[in-house]
């Protein structure tokens, strides 16, 4: 392989255009060399209609970044690993938990990297929040993760289809932060999921969680918020609240602003991907996906009014 990690993006939707392309361009030791998408044709790059066409006729590549809807990722990741390529999985890593175990085994067998990414964990305030909370006694956690689906996911009809996660597509970002900053494993205790009468995925969810010591945790997810989004995690401690906001870009300790930084999540993801491939390691943490699966398993389904995009 080349010293440069040559990457092809598979699935050239909004997240690939807005985040992955500029992040790869900023990453030393990585280069975007091809794109696969059945519809979009990016300028200035070799373009292929499907993965098999890329593998057969495309330029030499070392890695695949899978940015398709989650329902498609398992088969594409399996094919890429079988072809000897490293694989980066956009979040969520798949539609089910069971489909990830064979991919982990295949990556190990092929001596290739499998990286299940949780981009919100790489937000600039997450590391400082974890360190701050390690010295505190946490008494309660409240997550408010609400946004306007029409603004943040325009035209993405797959998100409300079976396996598309609905409001858990952004909500899993909050759960990835939660499982990163708390010292103990977290469990879902109960959930109420709001399903529009004309959709297969939930538009809102209220979830009660706790750790092994009974720490009360509540998460509120909603796709129906208008105006600015709310991406907040508030940890009540014996010394006052520790608040993560703006999706993990801002941290306050009480009233004191500790971190207020710009978005560097995806460049950090790709720096991690380059490091993993050079070290011959994988990184597949499924804790956030388990919490989503448990929410669907335990959740009480509540029908709400039809939703039209």
């Amino acid at each position: 392989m080349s010293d440069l990690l040559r990457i092809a993006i598979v699935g050239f939707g909004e997240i690939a255009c807005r985040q992955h392309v500029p992040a790869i361009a900023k990453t030393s030791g990585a280069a975007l060399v091809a794109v696969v998408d059945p519809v979009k044709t990016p300028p200035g790059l070799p373009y292929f209609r499907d993965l098999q066409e890329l593998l057969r006729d495309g330029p030499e590549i070392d890695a695949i970044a899978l940015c398709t809807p989650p329902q498609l990722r398992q088969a594409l990741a399996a094919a890429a690993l079988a072809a000897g390529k490293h694989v980066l999985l956009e979040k969520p890593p798949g539609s089910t938990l069971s489909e990830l175990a064979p991919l982990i085994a295949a990556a190990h067998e092929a001596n290739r990297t499998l990286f299940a990414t949780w981009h919100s964990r790489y937000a600039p305030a997450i590391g400082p929040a974890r360190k701050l909370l390690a010295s505190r006694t946490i008494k309660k956690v409240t997550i408010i993760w609400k946004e306007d689906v029409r603004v943040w996911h325009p035209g993405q009809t797959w998100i409300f289809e079976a396996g598309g996660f609905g409001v858990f597509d952004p909500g899993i970002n909050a759960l990835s932060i939660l499982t990163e900053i708390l010292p103990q494993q977290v469990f879902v205790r109960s959930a109420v999921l709001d399903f529009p009468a004309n959709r297969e995925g939930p538009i809102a969810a209220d979830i009660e969680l706790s750790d092994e010591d009974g720490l009360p945790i509540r998460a509120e997810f909603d796709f129906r918020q208008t105006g600015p989004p709310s991406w907040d995690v508030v940890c009540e401690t014996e010394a006052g609240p520790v608040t993560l906001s703006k999706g993990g870009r801002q941290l306050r300790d009480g009233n004191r602003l500790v971190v207020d930084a710009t978005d560097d999540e995806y460049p950090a993801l790709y720096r991690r991907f380059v490091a993993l491939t050079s070290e011959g390691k994988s990184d597949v943490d499924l804790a956030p996906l388990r919490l989503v699966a448990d929410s669907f398993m335990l959740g009480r389904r509540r029908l709400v009014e039809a939703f039209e995009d």
Side-chain angles (χ1 to χ4, degrees), residues 270-301:
Y270 275 96
R271 291 193 293 271
R272 173 68 170 156
F273 190 39
V274 169
L276 287 169
T277 59
S278 67
E279 296 166 3
K281 297 179 180 178
S282 288
D283 182 352
V284 186
D285 178 19
L286 300 181
L289 186 59
R290 289 193 187 96
L291 294 179
V292 172
D294 289 350
S295 296
F296 276 97
M297 185 176 293
L298 291 175
R300 177 168 63 87
R301 181 185 179 117

Side-chain angles (χ1 to χ4, degrees), residues 12 21 30 66 92 154 160 165 191 214 238 272 306:
F12 206 64
V21 171
L66 280 178
F160 281 117
F165 285 67
E238 86 289 355
R272 173 68 170 156

Side-chain angles (χ1 to χ4, degrees), residues 197-255:
N198 60 338
R199 303 286 179 166
E200 298 173 330
I203 198 167
D206 288 334
I207 311 161
E208 300 289 342
L209 311 97
S210 71
D211 65 8
E212 292 178 338
D213 294 330
L215 172 69
I217 304 166
R218 184 177 184 188
E220 299 179 22
F221 303 155
D222 204 322
F223 258 159
R224 298 166 297 191
Q225 176 148 307
T226 57
S230 302
W231 296 323
D232 306 314
V233 180
V234 181
C235 299
E236 301 289 348
T237 79
E238 86 289 355
V242 173
T243 304
L244 282 163
S245 56
K246 297 184 179 179
R249 289 186 285 115
Q250 189 176 88
L251 173 65
R252 290 184 181 275
D253 181 9
N255 294 322

Side-chain angles (χ1 to χ4, degrees), residues 9 11-22 40 66-68 73 90-91 119 156 266:
I9 291 177
F12 206 64
E14 181 182 358
I15 197 69
C17 297
R18 182 164 47 89
Q19 296 286 5
H20 288 258
V21 171
K40 292 190 176 180
L66 280 178
C67 301
T68 66
R73 291 189 191 139
E90 176 58 84
K91 66 85 196 168
H119 65 81
Q156 296 179 10
Y266 279 86

Side-chain angles (χ1 to χ4, degrees), residues 71 157-167 193-203 296 301 303 307:
Q71 298 96 322
T157 57
W158 59 264
I159 209 166
F160 281 117
E161 296 172 358
F165 285 67
V167 75
L193 312 182
D194 288 348
F195 283 77
N198 60 338
R199 303 286 179 166
E200 298 173 330
I203 198 167
F296 276 97
R301 181 185 179 117
L303 285 179
F307 174 79

